[in-house]
Amino acid sequence: MKRLSPETIAKVKEVLSENVRDIVIIPHVNPDGDAVGSSLGLWRVLKNAGYAPTVISPTDYPAFLKWVSGTNEVKVYEHEPDVSQQILEKADLVFLLDFNAPDRAGKLGPLIEKETSPIVLIDHHPAPADVTELMFSHTEASSTAELVYRFVESLDLCEYLDKDAAEALFTGLSTDTGSFSYNASSPDMYEVVSRLLEKGVDKDRIHDLIYNNFSADRMRLLGYSLDQKMKVFPEYHAAYISLSMEELERYNFVPGDTEGFVNYPLSIKGVIFTALFTEKEDLVKISFRSKGGFPTNEFSNLHFNGGGHMNASGGESKLSLAETIQKFEELLPEFSAKLKDEHRKLGN
C-alpha cells in the first residue's frame, strides 16, 4: 500500500496546531463495521491526545456493534438533528470516514457541503468526489480502519492509541475483510493487524462479538431468506435474496440483522454474483457481491445509482421491490458473457 502523502500529512499537522479543539467525525449513512470501527478508533486517539472529538453518525448503527467502546458517546443525526447540527457548527475540524462523497452521508450531506472548517477525508472507495484537499484516498487498502491507523502513525499519535482504539480499528479491519477471508492479501494490512494486537486486542473475543452476537429472530430470518427468498440462476452464475418490509417486521428486524446475507449465495457452486434486495419505506436498498473480476461497482453505478468496490458494492432503487427485482433479472442476460467468462477463469 502506498504510504500516506507526506505533504497532506504536513498540512493536517498544521491544521491541528492552529488552536483546534472541537472535532467532528462523520461516517457514512447506515454505518457498517468499518465505518463504526474507524470512526471510534480515531475518536479515541484524538480524545486521548487532548482534543474534544464527537462522532456524528447520519443514521443508527447495527446493534451487534454497540459493544465497541465509545458507542454510547455517538450522536445519531436522525435521532438528534438539532444537537448534531449545533455540534457540527462549532467544529474546528471535520473528518469524513469510509465514504467519498457528501451524498453518502444522507441528510448530513448538505451540511457537509456548506462546512467552512477544514475537512479531512479518509477512505478506500474508488472515484472520490472533490470534497477537500486534505484527502487520504487509497483504494488498495483493505479498509478505512487500516488507513486510520496509518494516519495516526503518520501524525506521530500512536502513543494515544490505547487498547480501546485498537479494538475499534481491528473491528473495522475484520468486518471489511470478512474476518480476513477476502481483500486481505496485503502484507501492509497484516503489519497493521500486528500493531493492533500489540495493544492487547483479543481477536477471538472480537470475532465472537461480531459474528456470534445475533438474536434468535435474526437467525430465523436468515433461515427463511435462504429457504424461501433465494433465487438462483445457474445459467448466469448469479443469485439473489429479496426481503419486503412485511417480512422484515415479521422477524422483528433491527439494523444490522441482514448483515452478511448477500454473501451466503456465493457459497453455492458456480455462483459468482449475488444481490440482496431490502425494501425500505421510500426505496429498495441493494447490496452486491462477486468473485473474481466481475465488477459489481460498475454494475451498480450503471443501473442502481450506487458504487463501491469491485467485489462489494451497494445501490438503491426508487422502483417497487417487485419492479427492482424484475429489472435485475432482465439485466442478467446482458452480462451473461462476462459472468460466464469469470466463472471459467475461476474454474468453479
Side-chain angles (χ1 to χ4, degrees), residues 82-100:
D82 294 337
V83 172
S84 299
Q85 186 166 344
Q86 289 170 11
I87 294 171
L88 186 56
E89 288 173 352
K90 285 178 52 185
D92 301 312
L93 178 64
V94 176
F95 284 89
L96 309 181
L97 298 190
D98 203 36
F99 68 101
N100 58 16

Side-chain angles (χ1 to χ4, degrees), residues 258-272:
T258 56
E259 187 78 21
F261 280 22
V262 67
N263 295 314
Y264 280 91
L266 286 177
S267 300
I268 299 171
K269 182 176 176 61
V271 170
I272 63 168

Side-chain angles (χ1 to χ4, degrees), residues 264-297:
Y264 280 91
L266 286 177
S267 300
I268 299 171
K269 182 176 176 61
V271 170
I272 63 168
F273 178 41
T274 66
L276 171 67
F277 301 93
T278 309
E279 186 182 35
K280 305 294 183 182
E281 286 188 5
D282 55 349
L283 56 81
V284 176
K285 180 186 173 186
I286 314 167
S287 296
F288 297 105
R289 296 292 185 273
S290 71
K291 296 178 183 177
F294 184 77
T296 67
N297 52 355

